[in-house]
Amino acid sequence: MKKKIAMRHAKPEDTGIIFEFIKELAEYEKLLHEVTTTEEQLKKTLFSTEYAKVLIAEYEGETAGIALYFHSYSTFLGKPGIYLEDLFVKEQFRGNGIGRALLKKLANICLENDFGRLEWSVLDWNKPAVDFYESLEAKSQNEWIKYRVDGESLKELAEN
């Protein structure tokens, strides 16, 4: 018998669950020390200002995975898109099609809204994720170098 995967958009009362997933993802990526957000901050930015949205996947009634995303824009296409910031499935639920179901839902949101693309980043050492994405025929964008300014560098850029 096929196991049931349910998908829904997060509500404010899911903030604690989202926060736990963020910390689990950060731990997996060896970046837990960089997590400075709080549940209060998440609730504000996800539900009051809606800077991002979260899909929650449940497997047999248990919260199993999340996809946190926001809208991007392509000047070349002249269309919005979706940037997937975080995709995380709890270890005990991996291999059950949950990651694929989350990406499929995001792809459907793109098509329903005439968006031009769905994109994301993955750490180069995360071979299981790279293999998974390539199995979906996702194409890596190796010609692009990602840059970031944050913390003190962000303050210095703004001031100087």
Side-chain angles (χ1 to χ4, degrees):
M1 173 159 65
K2 188 174 180 183
K3 302 278 184 173
K4 176 113 169 96
I5 300 171
M7 203 82 49
R8 65 181 176 83
H9 272 98
K11 298 176 269 200
E13 53 268 24
D14 294 315
T15 305
I17 292 167
I18 296 165
F19 189 46
E20 289 305 313
F21 270 95
I22 290 169
K23 290 190 293 188
E24 281 187 58
L25 172 61
E27 189 171 342
Y28 176 79
E29 293 180 339
K30 302 168 184 63
L31 296 170
L32 188 56
H33 63 282
E34 291 191 17
V35 176
T36 61
T37 192
T38 63
E39 285 188 43
E40 183 178 295
Q41 180 71 18
L42 287 172
K43 186 174 268 190
K44 177 183 173 189
T45 56
L46 294 175
F47 302 106
S48 294
T49 58
E50 294 188 16
Y51 287 126
K53 297 180 181 184
V54 180
L55 281 174
I56 294 179
E58 295 171 343
Y59 185 77
E60 294 290 296
E62 291 187 63
T63 306
I66 67 163
L68 189 148
Y69 68 97
F70 53 89
H71 293 136
S72 59
Y73 189 83
S74 168
T75 55
F76 289 5
L77 298 175
K79 292 182 176 189
I82 286 179
Y83 186 85
L84 174 60
E85 179 67 22
D86 292 333
L87 176 70
F88 189 73
V89 176
K90 289 185 178 187
E91 188 172 1
Q92 68 266 31
F93 296 107
R94 293 180 192 152
N96 290 300
I98 296 161
R100 178 182 288 271
L102 285 162
L103 285 167
K104 180 179 178 179
K105 178 66 176 171
L106 291 173
N108 276 296
I109 291 169
C110 285
L111 294 177
E112 290 164 5
N113 291 284
D114 193 30
F115 290 174
R117 60 174 63 138
L118 168 60
E119 55 192 345
W120 60 90
S121 298
V122 62
L123 291 166
D124 60 1
W125 59 260
N126 192 348
K127 185 154 174 42
V130 170
D131 291 346
F132 169 63
Y133 297 141
E134 288 180 358
S135 78
L136 301 174
E137 297 186 33
K139 311 272 187 289
S140 68
Q141 302 290 300
N142 295 330
E143 65 273 13
W144 292 93
I145 300 172
K146 185 175 182 177
Y147 285 91
R148 176 183 295 165
V149 179
D150 60 8
E152 288 303 313
S153 298
L154 182 62
K155 289 177 187 174
E156 284 181 34
L157 178 60
E159 292 170 2
N160 297 324

